Amino acid sequence: MTHLSESLQFFTNHYDHFLQQYQALVRIPSVSTDPEHKPDLLDACEFLAARLRGLGAERVEIFPTQGHPILFAEKRSAREGAPTILIYGHYDVQPVNPIEEWGTPPFEPTISGEYLIGRGASDMKGQVMASLAAVESVLAAGHLPVTLKFLLEGEEEIGSPSLDGFIETHADLLACDIVLNPDSGMVTKDAPTIVYGLRGLLYLEMRLDGPKADLHSGLFGGNVANPANVLAAIIAKLHNPDGTVAVPGFYDKVLPITPEEKMRIASVRSDEDALLRITGVPQLYGEQAYSPLERTGARPTLDVNGMYAGFIGEGSKTIIPAYAKAKISCRLVPDQDPDEIFELIRAYITSLTPEAVRLSIIKHSGAPAYLADDAPGLEQLAAALEQTWNTKVSYKREGGSIPVATTMLKYLGVKSLLTGFGLPDDQIHSPNEHQHLPTWKLGVQALIRFFLSFDHAS
Ligand code: BES
Ligand code: ZN
């Protein structure tokens, strides 16, 4: 038997063990944005550290940060001239609310048919555990033909505030030939995917303060500006009637989509029916001049993520609220600069705000878009995916954001292999998140092939 067939066999034989490990990680409620879950983030980090020690990693180190810890590990290859692959992952997850929409408890991973349901099952504990399962299977069947480094963070879902600085100051520790980042996903379950572009993100929050406390709307209504009304009026002016963003200057630096790029995007099967089914909307809505895949991959957006003002309980209460708040984010494309876009939005909203209320705007996080037509290891990864799925790889420009790809390019000088085994209907960031297990299995097999494809010696 070859090393490859033995590794694949080992994975098949121990599938239940790997699934249990995966479930054990999903069971830890590592919601990074919620301070109450801080100990759970450390738990998840220590769980992974223990797994990496179990794999015989020579170095496993937990670096505390201002926020949640960063885990670094290294498992060296004995082979002379073995390339170094840096595997990125995040062990934090998004909040679970609205909890009442979940059919099973989010942190009690449940297998239902072909799916594992639970927060983080797809984004991205499943992908982290797929990587570890592949490494363990390769090691169980022989030597490791590549040196592996792991960089696992607990703040991805809140914009990785500690990671940029860490990567900058630990560039030597993280030095590598190849970056594998499985935090992205697939086009469909039959289309193994490599992502070559991601949108950036700007996240901000605005607040309008009116009266010093909620007021009786009869006694004072008509004499004070209502922050909720004003907020609604401002938000209504953030878009033009055709759906484009109305912030002056917003599109100034947007790189137009070249004809070649249009063809490349069009080569990915895009199924409008699937979009309608996954989203449940009665009709798609977006810039008419662009296809759905162009809209998510290569066009910027501005969206209100949440609004809060006044009385939102059962029944009625006659008040003028003291304040109103909105959380707003923009998905950015090359060459939009998050800081510049923030200033443009701030200036525009300021110009729309009447003097009868006080405005404050804060920036939560910002990261530029990522676009690269190649990355070291691309050929090997594509071959591993194609052999596993027995079909061609789809190359996709994604709408989500993985800011670390840009950070690594900046400080390590290495472009990332962006892939992953989640599907568009996994309901990531949403209730009932799940991972399609047959796809996860193929993903592990593909990663085994990928690691072993560097074994030129045997
Ligand atoms: N894994 C996702 C991003 C993703 C999902 C990329 C599917 C491609 C396909 C990641 O965990 C994520 O959600 N990122 C955040 C980043 C933000 C908080 C800076 C996002 O895109 O909202
Ligand atoms: Zn996410």
Side-chain angles (χ1 to χ4, degrees), residues 70-75 83-89 131 135 146-152 163 166-167 170-182 376 404-405 407-409 411-418 447 450-451 454:
I70 291 172
L71 174 57
F72 173 83
E74 180 171 2
K75 171 79 189 146
T84 298
I85 303 182
L86 174 64
I87 302 179
Y88 166 86
S131 309
V135 178
V146 285
T147 286
L148 294 176
K149 292 181 178 178
F150 293 86
L151 178 65
L152 304 173
L163 195 66
F166 183 85
I167 293 175
H170 294 80
D172 287 341
L173 184 70
L174 301 171
C176 59
D177 303 295
I178 292 170
V179 174
L180 175 67
N181 185 330
V404 69
T407 312
M408 286 189 175
L409 181 56
Y411 296 119
L412 308 180
V414 185
K415 292 176 185 165
S416 293
L417 292 171
L418 297 155
L447 291 177
F450 174 62
F451 296 139
F454 294 92

Side-chain angles (χ1 to χ4, degrees), residues 182-187 191-195 396 398 418-424:
D183 194 20
S184 139
M186 295 172 50
V187 177
T193 304
I194 295 177
V195 165
K396 192 182 179 202
E398 253 301 346
L418 297 155
T419 190
F421 313 109
L423 300 173

Side-chain angles (χ1 to χ4, degrees), residues 90 92-94 123-124 156-157 183 401 428-429:
H90 65 83
D92 64 321
V93 298
Q94 289 271 332
D123 182 11
M124 69 168 297
E156 195 276 344
E157 299 291 8
D183 194 20
S401 305
I428 65 173
H429 295 206

Side-chain angles (χ1 to χ4, degrees), residues 158-348:
I158 51 173
S160 306
S162 308
L163 195 66
D164 281 25
F166 183 85
I167 293 175
E168 184 178 4
T169 53
H170 294 80
D172 287 341
L173 184 70
L174 301 171
C176 59
D177 303 295
I178 292 170
V179 174
L180 175 67
N181 185 330
D183 194 20
S184 139
M186 295 172 50
V187 177
T188 67
K189 69 177 178 7
D190 310 311
T193 304
I194 295 177
V195 165
Y196 66 93
L198 293 156
R199 288 194 287 190
L201 185 73
L202 165 66
Y203 207 109
L204 57 95
E205 185 164 339
M206 65 173 287
R207 178 180 169 121
L208 296 172
D209 280 278
K212 62 185 186 222
D214 290 354
L215 300 174
H216 188 291
S217 62
L219 299 188
F220 299 97
N223 265 315
V224 295
N226 178 328
N229 299 9
V230 175
L231 181 68
I234 291 174
I235 287 173
K237 294 198 179 90
L238 295 178
H239 291 89
N240 298 310
D242 66 358
T244 55
V245 177
V247 177
F250 187 78
Y251 293 97
D252 283 1
K253 296 211 171 151
V254 171
L255 275 193
I257 312 177
T258 61
E260 300 83 67
E261 177 67 6
K262 271 201 176 276
M263 271 168 56
R264 201 172 183 188
I265 293 177
S267 75
V268 172
R269 260 180 304 149
S270 148
D271 183 351
E272 293 208 25
D273 290 339
L275 263 180
L276 290 171
R277 179 173 49 74
I278 292 169
T279 59
V281 294
Q283 196 178 69
L284 297 182
Y285 174 85
E287 293 179 89
Q288 285 302 318
Y290 300 93
S291 74
L293 276 178
E294 289 170 349
R295 290 179 196 150
T296 49
R299 296 293 298 166
T301 59
L302 183 153
D303 277 295
V304 176
N305 300 100
M307 291 185 247
Y308 179 88
F311 178 66
I312 54 170
E314 294 283 326
S316 62
K317 183 183 182 198
T318 45
I319 56 156
I320 292 172
Y323 66 90
K325 296 196 284 192
K327 293 185 191 271
I328 296 172
S329 67
C330 293
R331 294 288 166 171
L332 307 175
V333 300
D335 287 329
Q336 287 178 303
D337 176 80
D339 293 325
E340 273 174 37
I341 297 293
F342 177 68
E343 288 310 324
L344 292 176
I345 295 174
R346 194 225 298 267
Y348 182 54

Side-chain angles (χ1 to χ4, degrees), residues 72-110:
F72 173 83
E74 180 171 2
K75 171 79 189 146
R76 289 185 207 112
S77 171
R79 195 168 68 85
E80 182 111 0
T84 298
I85 303 182
L86 174 64
I87 302 179
Y88 166 86
H90 65 83
Y91 60 80
D92 64 321
V93 298
Q94 289 271 332
V96 298
N97 278 335
I99 182 82
E100 65 280 5
E101 298 291 325
W102 285 77
T104 57
F107 298 113
E108 284 175 29
T110 308

Side-chain angles (χ1 to χ4, degrees), residues 23-45 68 91-96 105-109 118-120 125 154:
Q23 286 174 278
L25 181 60
V26 176
R27 207 163 279 130
I28 305 172
S30 48
V31 180
S32 49
T33 199
D34 186 345
E36 283 201 355
H37 282 293
K38 198 167 172 62
D40 300 313
L41 281 114
L42 185 57
D43 266 9
C45 187
H68 306 304
Y91 60 80
D92 64 321
V93 298
Q94 289 271 332
V96 298
F107 298 113
E108 284 175 29
R119 173 56 87 230
K125 288 177 172 176

